[in-house]
Amino acid sequence: MQLGLITDSLGSQPLERVLDTAAELGLDTVEIATGNWSESPHARLDELVSTAAARDALARTISSRGLTLSALNANGNQLHPLTGPAHDRVVRDTIKVASEMGVPTVVLMSGLPGARGEKSPNWITTSWPPETLEILEYQWTDVAAPYWEGLAGFARRHNVRLAVEMHGRQLVFNVATMKRLQDIVGDDVVGANLDPSHLMWMGGDILAVIRALGSSIFHVHAKDARIERANADVNGILDTLPPARTGERSWNYVTLGLGHPGGAAFWADFIYTLRSVGYEGPLNIEHEDVIVNSGEGVRKSAELLRSVVLRDTPDWAPARI
C-alpha cells in the first residue's frame, strides 16, 4: 500500500509547498482536486485539458519530489437539477486529463437528483410516507441510470476507473446503493472510494463494509469521524449544524486516530482488513478537522499511518475473502 495526501487538506498553501510537505512526511502519492465542490487550489483544469505542456509541468512538479499522482478528484453533484450539467463537464474533463496523464482513478460522488420537477436535490432516507419511494424510483430509473451508463462508457473509452465516494446526501451512500449502481453499469470501471468517516457517522461497521465491498474498493481516503455521545444521545445522529459548531454537533470529522474507538488499533485493523480483500492501492489522508491546524493534523495522521501500514509483499498469498 502507498500512503498519500489529498492536497486540498493543505489548500491554503501553494502546490509546491504541499508536495514538499508530503515528501518530508514520507508519503508516496498525492490526489488533486480539479473543481466542482473544491476551489481547486492546486490545479487549473482548463489548462490541463487544453495543453500537454500544462499536464507535463504538473507531472514533473510531482515526480521531482519522488511522488506519484494516484487520483484526480471531481467531487460534486452531476445529477443536480440545475447545476448538474456544469458539474458533469468538470467530471468529464477530469477523466480526459486523467487519461492523458496516465492517472488510473477519478474520485467523484454519485450525485443526487431532486424529485420530478424539483429544483433542489432530495435525499430519501426512509420508505414512508409513500411518495418517498416514488421519488427514489424516479431518481434511480429516470435520472441516475441513464447518466451513469453514459459516464461509465465515457470512462471505459478513456481507460480510467471511477471511484464513487459513498456519502450522506448522495444517491450512493452505503454498500447497498454502491452495489445497485454497479448492477446498472458494471463493476469493471465503477467501484468505491472508501472514505470510512462518512460510514462511521451513519453507523456502519467499517471492517464489515470492507469485507462486503471486497474487490469493488478502487481507492481509499484516510479520514476519521467521532460520534459526540453527549449530543448524539440526546438528538440522534442526524445533524444540520455547521462544522464550526463542533461542541454542539452529534458527530465531527476529526484528525486520524481521534475519532473511531480504538484509535491506532482500529486503523491497524482497517489496513489489515483491506489487505485481506486484496486492496493494494493508496491510503490518501484527508484532513477536515476544523479545530486542529491542518499542518499538524496532516502530520499526526501521517505518523499514525506510517506506524501501522503494511508495505511489503506477504510471504504467501492467503485466500481472499
Side-chain angles (χ1 to χ4, degrees), residues 89-112:
R89 284 193 293 274
V90 171
V91 167
R92 291 175 186 263
D93 281 349
T94 302
I95 292 170
K96 293 176 184 176
V97 171
S99 180
E100 291 290 343
M101 295 185 69
V103 177
T105 304
V106 167
V107 177
L108 72 170
M109 294 190 188
S110 65
L112 180 67

Short mmCIF file of all heavy atoms in Angstrom, two decimals, residues 89-112:
data_model
loop_
_atom_site.label_atom_id
_atom_site.label_comp_id
_atom_site.label_asym_id
_atom_site.label_seq_id
_atom_site.Cartn_x
_atom_site.Cartn_y
_atom_site.Cartn_z
N ARG A 89 -19.51 18.55 -16.71
CA ARG A 89 -18.40 18.97 -17.59
C ARG A 89 -17.07 18.87 -16.86
O ARG A 89 -16.06 18.45 -17.46
CB ARG A 89 -18.64 20.41 -18.07
CG ARG A 89 -19.69 20.53 -19.16
CD ARG A 89 -19.67 21.89 -19.81
NE ARG A 89 -20.09 22.95 -18.89
CZ ARG A 89 -21.36 23.30 -18.69
NH1 ARG A 89 -22.33 22.67 -19.32
NH2 ARG A 89 -21.65 24.29 -17.86
N VAL A 90 -17.05 19.22 -15.57
CA VAL A 90 -15.81 19.08 -14.80
C VAL A 90 -15.42 17.62 -14.68
O VAL A 90 -14.25 17.25 -14.84
CB VAL A 90 -15.98 19.72 -13.40
CG1 VAL A 90 -14.79 19.39 -12.51
CG2 VAL A 90 -16.14 21.23 -13.52
N VAL A 91 -16.39 16.75 -14.42
CA VAL A 91 -16.12 15.32 -14.30
C VAL A 91 -15.51 14.79 -15.60
O VAL A 91 -14.48 14.09 -15.59
CB VAL A 91 -17.39 14.56 -13.93
CG1 VAL A 91 -17.19 13.05 -14.10
CG2 VAL A 91 -17.81 14.86 -12.49
N ARG A 92 -16.14 15.10 -16.71
CA ARG A 92 -15.65 14.56 -17.99
C ARG A 92 -14.30 15.14 -18.39
O ARG A 92 -13.44 14.42 -18.91
CB ARG A 92 -16.71 14.77 -19.08
CG ARG A 92 -17.94 13.91 -18.85
CD ARG A 92 -19.06 14.18 -19.83
NE ARG A 92 -20.25 13.42 -19.46
CZ ARG A 92 -20.59 12.25 -19.97
NH1 ARG A 92 -19.84 11.69 -20.91
NH2 ARG A 92 -21.69 11.63 -19.57
N ASP A 93 -14.09 16.42 -18.13
CA ASP A 93 -12.78 16.99 -18.41
C ASP A 93 -11.72 16.36 -17.50
O ASP A 93 -10.57 16.14 -17.92
CB ASP A 93 -12.80 18.51 -18.21
CG ASP A 93 -13.43 19.24 -19.39
OD1 ASP A 93 -13.64 18.61 -20.43
OD2 ASP A 93 -13.69 20.45 -19.25
N THR A 94 -12.09 16.07 -16.27
CA THR A 94 -11.14 15.44 -15.35
C THR A 94 -10.78 14.04 -15.83
O THR A 94 -9.61 13.62 -15.75
CB THR A 94 -11.74 15.38 -13.93
OG1 THR A 94 -12.04 16.71 -13.50
CG2 THR A 94 -10.77 14.74 -12.95
N ILE A 95 -11.75 13.30 -16.33
CA ILE A 95 -11.48 11.97 -16.90
C ILE A 95 -10.53 12.09 -18.08
O ILE A 95 -9.58 11.29 -18.22
CB ILE A 95 -12.80 11.28 -17.31
CG1 ILE A 95 -13.62 10.93 -16.06
CG2 ILE A 95 -12.52 10.03 -18.13
CD1 ILE A 95 -15.03 10.46 -16.36
N LYS A 96 -10.74 13.08 -18.93
CA LYS A 96 -9.85 13.27 -20.07
C LYS A 96 -8.41 13.54 -19.61
O LYS A 96 -7.46 12.96 -20.15
CB LYS A 96 -10.33 14.45 -20.92
CG LYS A 96 -11.65 14.23 -21.64
CD LYS A 96 -12.05 15.51 -22.38
CE LYS A 96 -13.41 15.40 -23.03
NZ LYS A 96 -13.83 16.68 -23.65
N VAL A 97 -8.27 14.40 -18.62
CA VAL A 97 -6.93 14.73 -18.12
C VAL A 97 -6.29 13.50 -17.49
O VAL A 97 -5.10 13.21 -17.71
CB VAL A 97 -7.00 15.89 -17.10
CG1 VAL A 97 -5.66 16.08 -16.41
CG2 VAL A 97 -7.44 17.17 -17.79
N ALA A 98 -7.05 12.75 -16.69
CA ALA A 98 -6.50 11.54 -16.08
C ALA A 98 -6.01 10.58 -17.15
O ALA A 98 -4.94 9.98 -17.02
CB ALA A 98 -7.57 10.87 -15.21
N SER A 99 -6.79 10.43 -18.20
CA SER A 99 -6.40 9.53 -19.29
C SER A 99 -5.09 9.98 -19.94
O SER A 99 -4.19 9.17 -20.18
CB SER A 99 -7.52 9.48 -20.33
OG SER A 99 -7.19 8.64 -21.40
N GLU A 100 -4.98 11.27 -20.22
CA GLU A 100 -3.77 11.80 -20.86
C GLU A 100 -2.55 11.67 -19.97
O GLU A 100 -1.43 11.46 -20.46
CB GLU A 100 -4.00 13.26 -21.24
CG GLU A 100 -5.00 13.48 -22.36
CD GLU A 100 -4.50 13.02 -23.70
OE1 GLU A 100 -3.27 12.82 -23.85
OE2 GLU A 100 -5.32 12.84 -24.62
N MET A 101 -2.75 11.78 -18.64
CA MET A 101 -1.63 11.76 -17.71
C MET A 101 -1.33 10.36 -17.17
O MET A 101 -0.39 10.19 -16.40
CB MET A 101 -1.89 12.70 -16.55
CG MET A 101 -1.97 14.17 -16.93
SD MET A 101 -2.15 15.27 -15.49
CE MET A 101 -0.53 15.07 -14.71
N GLY A 102 -2.11 9.37 -17.56
CA GLY A 102 -1.89 8.02 -17.06
C GLY A 102 -2.29 7.86 -15.60
O GLY A 102 -1.78 6.96 -14.92
N VAL A 103 -3.19 8.69 -15.13
CA VAL A 103 -3.70 8.59 -13.75
C VAL A 103 -4.85 7.57 -13.77
O VAL A 103 -5.80 7.74 -14.53
CB VAL A 103 -4.19 9.95 -13.23
CG1 VAL A 103 -4.78 9.83 -11.83
CG2 VAL A 103 -3.05 10.96 -13.25
N PRO A 104 -4.79 6.53 -12.95
CA PRO A 104 -5.75 5.43 -13.11
C PRO A 104 -7.15 5.72 -12.62
O PRO A 104 -8.10 5.06 -13.07
CB PRO A 104 -5.12 4.31 -12.27
CG PRO A 104 -4.31 5.03 -11.23
CD PRO A 104 -3.78 6.24 -11.92
N THR A 105 -7.31 6.70 -11.71
CA THR A 105 -8.57 6.81 -10.99
C THR A 105 -9.04 8.25 -10.92
O THR A 105 -8.26 9.17 -10.65
CB THR A 105 -8.41 6.28 -9.55
OG1 THR A 105 -7.93 4.93 -9.60
CG2 THR A 105 -9.73 6.31 -8.79
N VAL A 106 -10.34 8.44 -11.13
CA VAL A 106 -11.00 9.71 -10.84
C VAL A 106 -11.99 9.45 -9.71
O VAL A 106 -12.85 8.57 -9.79
CB VAL A 106 -11.73 10.29 -12.06
CG1 VAL A 106 -12.66 11.43 -11.66
CG2 VAL A 106 -10.71 10.77 -13.10
N VAL A 107 -11.85 10.20 -8.63
CA VAL A 107 -12.76 10.12 -7.48
C VAL A 107 -13.90 11.10 -7.70
O VAL A 107 -13.68 12.25 -8.10
CB VAL A 107 -12.01 10.44 -6.18
CG1 VAL A 107 -12.97 10.42 -4.99
CG2 VAL A 107 -10.86 9.47 -5.96
N LEU A 108 -15.10 10.65 -7.42
CA LEU A 108 -16.28 11.50 -7.58
C LEU A 108 -17.40 10.95 -6.72
O LEU A 108 -17.25 9.89 -6.11
CB LEU A 108 -16.72 11.58 -9.04
CG LEU A 108 -17.39 10.35 -9.68
CD1 LEU A 108 -17.97 10.72 -11.04
CD2 LEU A 108 -16.46 9.16 -9.82
N MET A 109 -18.49 11.68 -6.66
CA MET A 109 -19.67 11.18 -5.96
C MET A 109 -20.74 10.82 -6.96
O MET A 109 -20.67 11.18 -8.14
CB MET A 109 -20.15 12.21 -4.94
CG MET A 109 -19.15 12.41 -3.81
SD MET A 109 -19.79 13.38 -2.45
CE MET A 109 -18.28 13.59 -1.49
N SER A 110 -21.74 10.09 -6.49
CA SER A 110 -22.78 9.61 -7.39
C SER A 110 -23.64 10.74 -7.91
O SER A 110 -24.18 10.67 -9.01
CB SER A 110 -23.67 8.61 -6.67
OG SER A 110 -24.38 9.23 -5.61
N GLY A 111 -23.77 11.81 -7.12
CA GLY A 111 -24.74 12.85 -7.42
C GLY A 111 -26.08 12.53 -6.77
O GLY A 111 -26.34 11.40 -6.35
N LEU A 112 -26.92 13.53 -6.69
CA LEU A 112 -28.23 13.37 -6.07
C LEU A 112 -29.24 14.23 -6.82
O LEU A 112 -29.13 15.45 -6.82
CB LEU A 112 -28.19 13.78 -4.60
CG LEU A 112 -29.52 13.66 -3.85
CD1 LEU A 112 -29.93 12.19 -3.72
CD2 LEU A 112 -29.41 14.30 -2.46
#
